């Protein structure tokens, strides 16, 4: 039987007493053939029928008790099934009166397609009811009773309207108008519902491995409600893209507008237009997916976050106290960033007996639904707090805040288990406090609520927006707190090294940085370890402008993360964790700092310091390299940067460390404000075992005019060096005059020895050719000097010399002359 109403159109009709919703329901029944059902009418009809269920209901009402919700829903369901064959839809009058009733209705019967909110001013409703009381004779139609009824109505109805507004199915009807004019507005809403049907159109596809879905339906359909349910159940991201902006988008293909055509062609054209728009949407999404690999997520404050973690630091305390009845006493201070619609909806569940005391100092109306209630649960709300808890009952606590409220609770219940400040909470589950060995006295101080494991808290997803980008190893993180957010102090813990920060906050924000290696840009006062930095420059809270300023300041083209914080808190803590670096083949950047110095070093290739070297620039080992060390962590103070010493460390298999000599470079006070310049060269080292070097300098900051300096810190940068080619040494010798004379004399001696050797060989050969014996027939002219020394080739020159004939024969004479001429030519030639 329940299948008959599975796809039925269900309209909730909500309106205060005297709003005229009963009259409008009658008109809807007459025009559209809907069935009008009122839980009050059904109860009275059931009692009047005398049925068994009617008798049970009468007994319950006579005792003054409320009729169980399941019984009411069963009656509504039975009435709907009975009219299923003839009814075109159902008007559920005056229902639901609270969110839980609506949720149970959807579980047992079905989801509403539309909620008609028949609204009128309270003065109008009072006037109408007073006029009705003149003829109705009803005792409750007096002004005092009417105002109480209206007050109860608003408290009960506002959470319901807010709940279904989130689904997009509420149509607010102004019942201040004439009856027919009001019905005209009602008709428009129902006509839109009937035209769209219960379901719209749905497409889905995949881009870059991610699923994309799109739905299409006319205004007034149940599309928004279905999308909302899917978003909550499956944790989807919902984006509303109307067709008109798609047509006008400069990045997306142009979708031609379709002229209005009379039916039935118009329906077909609208369907084609929707499909065309969806195809254009897919093209835009595909283009966007191919352009960047960024991941933007909306995180809550108390959930598990990724590389960037944001925690609210708030006032609170906790102990292991519980009452004699094993009840835990919790004071819960609810704080909210002002919502656009002026109210906040949250849900609360308790799993242990507890006394919950709620307080708040914010102006929005807070509506809290108790989903699960543990036994012995007591609810207190401080006087002046705009909080409605349903179902109740609630008790009133005095108008006290902070430690005064804490003291009251201690006197009232004997102690306090916890005092907790929650920021932008939308759901809260209270579990058993299992902490042991805690202090027995709750003393207020700053704490992190996430440490309290007995509270499971969820906050608004819009509280923190984090975007992560697949950038290089040179990390640049941007944290933006818009001007409409109030945060006093922001503590930032930076785990990675070599990090660049852009910290932007409203006027009055103070940043406290703990980092091993970071440089920063901020428009606020910043304390980095023990050094103070004043505002460096003004920064807009617009995301695109911040990114551009970061690129200009750091001379970069990519960022690692962008975080935007949208909740108020006196103090927050931001943690930047290490991330997995992608494989990168580029050389490491040449700018970096170390030891939390807040300083960085730049390298230049000329003495004018006009433009710094690009990251990874290769320099020759014989080049003169110019360096500048700058600091930005001392605000407006003009400090002198003192470079004490520098060293270089090789990177690679062969690790060496050498002291690097350097020369201070002169510069004007304007150019060297809070900076120092010097030059160095690798030419002082003959053989370099590596191309990659780490230049590290020990630097102090000194106050101008006084002999007061900070402890030295280390500042380093990476340098890529190419060994300069050196030609081989010149082998030519340089000689003076003594050397030349010595060489000439040595050559003379060598020449004499050669002559003597040749002489000896020639003469011996002549003797042996004639068959002469030693000393025979040797010419007298060959004797040198009167001493008898013979330099002939005869080996027997010591033998007695025989006389030479005075008249030699002609043949001998000619032979001797020829021989003489021959022997004389040789020494002459040799001497020459």
């Amino acid at each position: 039987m329940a299948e008959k109403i599975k796809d039925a159109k269900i309209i909730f009709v909500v309106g205060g007493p005297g709003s005229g919703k009963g009259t409008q329901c009658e008109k809807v029944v007459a025009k559209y053939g809907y069935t009008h059902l009122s839980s009050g009418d059904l109860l009275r009809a059931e009692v009047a029928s005398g049925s068994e269920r009617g008798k049970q209901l009468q007994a319950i009402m006579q005792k003054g008790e409320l009729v169980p919700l399941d019984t009411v829903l069963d009656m509504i369901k039975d009435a709907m099934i009975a009219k299923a064959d003839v009814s075109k839809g159902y008007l559920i009058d005056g229902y639901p009166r609270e969110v839980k009733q609506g949720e149970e209705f959807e579980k047992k019967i079905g989801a509403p397609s539309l909620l008609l909110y028949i609204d009128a001013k309270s003065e109008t409703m009072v006037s109408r009811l007073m006029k009705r009381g003149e003829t109705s004779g009803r005792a409750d139609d007096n002004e005092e009773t009417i105002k109480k009824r209206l007050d109860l109505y608003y408290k009960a109805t506002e959470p319901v309207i807010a709940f279904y507004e989130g689904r997009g199915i509420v149509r607010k009807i102004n019942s201040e108008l004439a009856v027919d004019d009001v019905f005209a507005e009602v008709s428009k809403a129902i006509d839109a519902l009937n035209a769209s049907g219960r379901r719209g159109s749905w497409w889905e596809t995949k881009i870059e491995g991610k699923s994309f879905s799109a739905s299409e339906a006319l205004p007034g359909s149940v599309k928004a409600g279905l999308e909302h349910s899917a978003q909550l159940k499956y944790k989807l991201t919902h984006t509303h893209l109307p067709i008109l902006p798609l047509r006008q988008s400069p990045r997306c293909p142009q979708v031609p507008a379709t002229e209005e055509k009379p039916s039935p062609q118009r329906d077909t054209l609208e369907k084609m237009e929707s499909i065309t728009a969806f195809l254009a949407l897919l093209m835009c999404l595909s283009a966007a997916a191919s352009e960047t690999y960024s991941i933007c997520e909306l995180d809550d404050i108390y959930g598990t976050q990724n590389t960037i973690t944001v925690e609210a630091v708030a006032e609170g305390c906790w102990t292991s106290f519980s009452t004699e009845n094993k009840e835990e006493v919790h004071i819960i201070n609810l704080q909210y960033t002002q919502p656009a619609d002026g109210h906040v909806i949250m849900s609360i569940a308790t799993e242990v007996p507890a006394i919950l005391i709620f307080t708040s100092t914010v102006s929005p109306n807070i509506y809290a639904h108790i989903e699960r209630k543990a036994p012995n649960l007591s609810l207190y709300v401080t006087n002046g707090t705009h909080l409605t808890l349903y179902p109740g009952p609630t008790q009133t606590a005095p108008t006290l805040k902070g430690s005064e409220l804490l003291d009251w609770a201690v006197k009232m219940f004997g102690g306090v288990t916890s005092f907790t400040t929650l920021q932008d909470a939308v759901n809260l589950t209270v579990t058993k406090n299992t902490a042991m060995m805690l202090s027995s006295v709750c003393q207020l101080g700053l704490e992190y609520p996430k440490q309290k494991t007995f509270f499971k808290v969820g906050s608004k997803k819009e509280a923190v927006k984090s975007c992560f980008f697949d950038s290089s190893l040179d990390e640049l993180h941007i944290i933006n707190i818009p001007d409409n957010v109030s945060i006093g102090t922001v503590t930032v813990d930076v785990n990675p090294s070599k990090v660049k920060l852009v910290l932007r906050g409203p006027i009055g924000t103070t940043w406290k940085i703990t980092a091993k290696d970071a440089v920063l840009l901020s428009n606020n006062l910043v304390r980095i370890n023990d050094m103070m930095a004043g505002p460096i420059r003004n920064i807009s809270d617009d995301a695109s402008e911040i990114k551009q300023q970061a690129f200009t300041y750091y001379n970069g083209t990519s960022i690692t993360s962008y975080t935007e914080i949208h909740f108020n808190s006196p103090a927050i803590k931001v943690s930047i964790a290490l991330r997995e670096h992608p494989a990168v083949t580029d050389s490491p950047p040449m700018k970096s700092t170390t030891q939390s110095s807040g300083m960085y070093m730049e390298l230049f290739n000329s003495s004018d310091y006009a433009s710094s070297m690009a990251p990874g620039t290769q320099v020759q080992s014989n080049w003169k390299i110019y360096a500048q060390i700058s600091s930005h962590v001392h605000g407006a103070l003009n400090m002198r940067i003192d470079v004490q010493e520098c060293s270089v460390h090789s990177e690679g298999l062969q690790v060496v460390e050498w002291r690097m000599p350097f020369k201070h470079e002169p510069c004007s006070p304007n150019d060297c404000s809070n900076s120092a310049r010097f030059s160095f060269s690798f030419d002082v080292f003959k053989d370099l075992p590596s191309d990659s070097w780490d230049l590290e300098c020990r630097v102090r900051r000194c106050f101008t005019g006084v002999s007061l300096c900070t402890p030295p810190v280390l500042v380093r940068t990476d340098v890529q060096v190419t060994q300069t080619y050196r030609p081989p040494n010149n082998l030519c010798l340089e000689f003076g005059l003594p050397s030349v004379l010595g060489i000439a004399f040595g050559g003379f001696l060598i020449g004499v020895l050669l002559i003597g050797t040749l002489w000896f060989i020639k003469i011996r050969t002549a003797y042996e050719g004639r068959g002469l014996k030693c000393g025979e027939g040797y010419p007298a002219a060959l004797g040198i000097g009167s001493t008898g020394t013979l330099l002939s080739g005869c080996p027997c020159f010591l033998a007695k010399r025989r006389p030479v004939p005075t008249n030699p024969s002609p043949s001998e004479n000619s032979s001797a002359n020829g021989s003489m001429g021959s022997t004389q030519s040789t020494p002459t030639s040799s001497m020459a």
Side-chain angles (χ1 to χ4, degrees), residues 516-675:
K516 294 180 292 186
D517 187 352
V519 291
L520 61 93
L521 168 65
S522 179
N523 68 321
N524 304 118
L525 186 66
V526 180
R527 176 184 291 275
I528 178 168
N529 289 343
D530 296 327
M531 299 299 299
M532 292 297 297
I536 298 173
R537 63 176 62 180
N538 293 328
I539 304 176
S540 167
D541 62 356
D542 180 74
S544 59
E545 292 185 18
I546 292 178
K547 183 176 71 173
Q548 188 58 45
Q549 285 182 293
F551 289 163
T552 302
Y553 186 78
Y554 289 117
N555 193 24
T557 57
S558 63
I559 64 176
T560 306
S561 73
Y562 174 83
T563 302
E564 203 167 273
I565 300 172
H566 289 277
F567 64 90
N568 298 322
S569 178
I572 64 172
K573 177 183 177 181
V574 180
S575 299
I576 302 177
L578 289 170
R579 63 187 179 96
E580 295 183 1
H581 296 295
V584 178
T585 57
D586 295 337
S587 301
M590 301 189 70
K591 293 182 183 180
S592 66
T593 65
T594 186
Q595 302 297 330
S596 307
S597 62
M599 309 176 72
Y600 66 91
M601 186 188 306
E602 295 178 274
L603 301 181
F604 302 80
N605 54 17
S606 62
S607 59
D608 58 3
Y609 290 84
S611 59
S612 61
M613 293 183 185
T617 300
Q618 295 281 341
V619 298
Q620 296 290 334
S621 61
N622 63 338
W623 285 8
K624 191 174 184 179
I625 304 172
Y626 297 87
Q628 176 172 291
I629 296 178
S630 304
S631 173
H632 291 293
V633 297
H634 36 68
L637 291 177
N638 187 8
M639 303 186 72
R640 175 172 56 87
I641 307 302
D642 179 26
V643 182
Q644 294 182 306
E645 62 178 6
C646 294
S647 60
V648 289
H649 312 263
S650 64
E651 300 176 3
L653 297 177
Q654 185 177 354
V655 179
V656 297
E657 180 178 353
W658 293 328
R659 183 111 175 238
M660 171 61 77
F662 64 90
K663 175 187 176 183
H664 290 285
E665 294 291 330
C667 62
S668 64
N670 292 334
D671 295 334
C672 284
S673 176
N674 300 316
S675 61

Side-chain angles (χ1 to χ4, degrees), residues 755-779 781-784 790-797 819-820 822-824 826-827:
I755 293 172
T757 302
L758 292 174
W759 218 341
F760 175 81
I761 295 172
K762 183 65 177 177
I763 293 175
R764 184 177 180 84
T765 303
Y767 270 96
E768 291 178 352
R770 291 182 177 185
L772 298 176
K773 295 181 180 180
C774 184
E776 294 181 350
Y778 196 83
L782 294 178
I784 299 178
L790 185 64
L791 296 178
S792 68
C794 180
C796 305
F797 62 87
S819 175
M820 191 67 156
S822 175
T823 58
Q824 286 178 352
T826 301

Side-chain angles (χ1 to χ4, degrees), residues 375-388:
N376 299 330
L377 175 64
S378 300
L379 302 173
Y380 287 81
V381 178
T382 59
N383 189 22
T385 296
H386 302 279
L387 172 63
T388 301

